[in-house]
Amino acid sequence: REEAGYQCQLRRDLQIGGDNSVAEAQKLAKQRELEEAEHAKRKAAKRAEAAKRAADEEAAFKKKLAEEEAEAQRRAADPEYAAKAMAREEAALLKRMEDEKREIEAAFQAGEAAGMEQESARSKQQEAAKASLELLEKEKLQREKRRVAEAKVAAAEEKAKLAQQKAKTAQKSQAASNAKVPDVSTRGV
């Protein structure tokens, strides 16, 4: 059900109104009749085309049947011709089978080549991954060696600083002891 206040609107071509509504309605009716007539013509043309196609197919089938019947009669009448015809048919059959065999072999070889190519690509990827892992391992070892060397250098610098500080302290204490004046009582006696 429609809601309250719903208004149905006709398509523009179906709406009739205004001063010349009768002429407009007649014009629309004639236009619709022309469209229907055109549609009927197209439908009839399609039917005629389909009937012609069916007749052509029927004629081709009958012609082929007549040719096969004539061929069968000729074979029955002439054994030499029948032998030649059978040889031709066998040769055509063998040729078709050889062609199919070549196609199958070509498809098989293409499949094998694709499989080998995929295997080659897979092995290349694995080699690249191994090389990458080895490179990462080398870099890790080099970083570890640098860290150990830096730690040794830092320890040596620390030892050198401590040794300098001890030397300075010893110098200061030496200078302090040299700077002391000896007691008067112990001088020159």
Side-chain angles (χ1 to χ4, degrees):
R1 293 199 77 160
E2 292 85 17
E3 299 176 14
Y6 174 80
Q7 292 182 348
C8 179
Q9 292 187 346
L10 292 173
R11 291 189 337 226
R12 268 268 198 248
D13 60 338
L14 296 176
Q15 293 179 6
I16 301 172
D19 295 337
N20 57 356
S21 61
V22 174
E24 196 68 33
Q26 288 175 350
K27 180 180 157 189
L28 288 173
K30 285 180 184 178
Q31 184 180 357
R32 182 157 286 135
E33 286 174 5
L34 289 174
E35 288 174 0
E36 288 174 0
E38 184 66 29
H39 180 67
K41 277 185 192 177
R42 284 195 304 265
K43 203 170 190 181
K46 283 183 182 178
R47 282 187 189 139
E49 180 71 26
K52 182 182 176 190
R53 207 175 318 120
D56 289 346
E57 288 174 2
E58 181 71 24
F61 177 73
K62 285 181 181 179
K63 181 180 176 185
K64 185 177 178 184
L65 197 62
E67 287 174 357
E68 288 175 356
E69 184 66 31
E71 180 72 18
Q73 286 177 358
R74 190 170 178 190
R75 283 183 185 194
D78 188 5
E80 186 178 321
Y81 177 78
K84 288 180 182 178
M86 283 179 57
R88 276 195 313 267
E89 289 173 357
E90 286 179 10
L93 179 65
L94 287 174
K95 184 179 183 317
R96 190 177 78 238
M97 289 174 66
E98 286 175 1
D99 291 344
E100 288 176 358
K101 181 183 174 188
R102 272 190 235 111
E103 288 176 7
I104 291 170
E105 287 174 349
F108 182 71
Q109 288 175 353
E112 281 184 338
M116 292 178 81
E117 188 175 308
Q118 285 179 343
E119 185 64 32
S120 171
R122 192 176 305 124
S123 67
K124 284 180 183 178
Q125 286 178 343
Q126 288 176 346
E127 289 173 10
K130 284 180 184 177
S132 177
L133 286 173
E134 288 173 2
L135 183 63
L136 287 173
E137 192 66 32
K138 284 180 183 177
E139 288 177 358
K140 183 179 175 184
L141 287 173
Q142 287 175 353
R143 279 195 307 266
E144 187 65 27
K145 285 179 183 178
R146 264 190 261 127
R147 190 184 62 76
V148 168
E150 287 173 358
K152 285 181 181 179
V153 168
E157 287 176 359
E158 190 65 31
K159 274 186 177 179
K161 282 183 184 178
L162 285 173
Q164 279 181 348
Q165 285 178 349
K166 282 183 183 179
K168 280 184 183 179
T169 308
Q171 277 180 351
K172 282 183 183 177
S173 64
Q174 182 70 31
S177 66
N178 285 346
K180 283 186 185 175
V181 179
D183 251 359
V184 178
S185 59
T186 58
R187 256 194 253 173
V189 179

